[in-house]
Amino acid sequence: MNDFNIKLLTPNDWVLYKLVRLESLLDSPDSFGSTYEQESALSDADWQSRLDLKARGLDAMPLVAQRGGRAVGLAWGVIHAPDVAAAHIYQMWVLPAVRGEGIAKALLHEMTAWALGRKCDQIALAVTTNNAAAFRLYRSSGFIAIGQPTPLRNGSVLMVQPMALNLHSAVERSF
């Protein structure tokens, strides 16, 4: 039995989103293209506008996983026009204390269902090459490495490996 729920973030959830995003950047600074320093400098209006998908003309699905009212996971799905055949996952993170409890898998399941509903052919993401646990999660979920690793950020020695999930295979696997 899962004792967490997954919630679609709306513009009214900007404070919750800000808190969990900043927590993820503090906890896992080597997992994201952005940094805590960059995002903690954003104004409240910036945080609010991030979740106003309609005003931004963005086809996205920002999700938060919650347990007992506390955010314990985060993931963003985005479809970048004009390439509407691919959905992308960003900001994937789970609180260390609850890793291994199925939260990341549940977030990936929601992303897969959303992408299939948008008639995408694949889901793409990038994972830091030194994050073995995340790499194993994605591989066990059907993602395969594509292309060559690239730097996490300009000037970074850390590398990210692009990965993709063929959604037709995911349906066959009953993701």
Side-chain angles (χ1 to χ4, degrees):
M1 180 175 128
N2 296 334
D3 61 343
F4 61 88
N5 67 302
I6 296 179
K7 169 186 168 78
L8 178 65
L9 293 167
T10 69
N12 292 334
D13 298 314
W14 71 270
V15 173
L16 172 64
Y17 170 57
K18 176 182 177 179
L19 292 173
V20 69
R21 177 63 175 154
L22 291 177
E23 182 176 14
S24 72
L25 290 165
L26 278 174
D27 171 69
S28 303
D30 294 338
S31 295
F32 304 106
S34 187
T35 66
Y36 177 83
E37 291 73 22
Q38 291 170 320
E39 296 203 17
S40 64
L42 296 174
S43 70
D44 289 349
D46 291 332
W47 287 101
Q48 290 169 351
S49 96
R50 279 188 169 188
L51 292 175
D52 194 349
L53 306 177
K54 189 173 184 177
R56 295 175 61 199
L58 189 60
D59 189 358
M61 187 170 76
L63 298 176
V64 66
Q66 295 179 298
R67 174 182 282 165
R70 179 175 180 347
V72 295
L74 177 67
W76 268 74
V78 179
I79 299 172
H80 299 286
D83 183 13
V84 297
H88 300 265
I89 297 177
Y90 302 103
Q91 301 184 24
M92 181 75 153
W93 175 81
V94 174
L95 183 71
V98 297
R99 289 180 185 159
E101 296 183 23
I103 294 169
K105 283 267 192 191
L107 289 166
L108 286 175
H109 179 79
E110 291 293 321
M111 289 292 166
T112 300
W114 171 74
L116 283 167
R118 295 291 198 276
K119 303 200 181 337
C120 294
D121 295 324
Q122 75 172 0
I123 299 177
L125 54 80
V127 60
T128 310
T129 56
N130 66 348
N131 190 339
F135 198 81
R136 279 191 307 274
L137 165 73
Y138 298 134
R139 296 271 308 190
S140 71
S141 297
F143 285 82
I144 59 168
I146 57 170
Q148 295 299 312
T150 59
L152 174 64
R153 294 182 278 272
N154 285 339
S156 177
V157 297
L158 295 171
M159 303 295 280
V160 293
Q161 173 63 58
M163 299 185 84
L165 171 67
N166 177 323
L167 289 173
H168 305 294
S169 297
V171 171
E172 293 167 8
R173 291 170 42 121
S174 297
F175 193 125

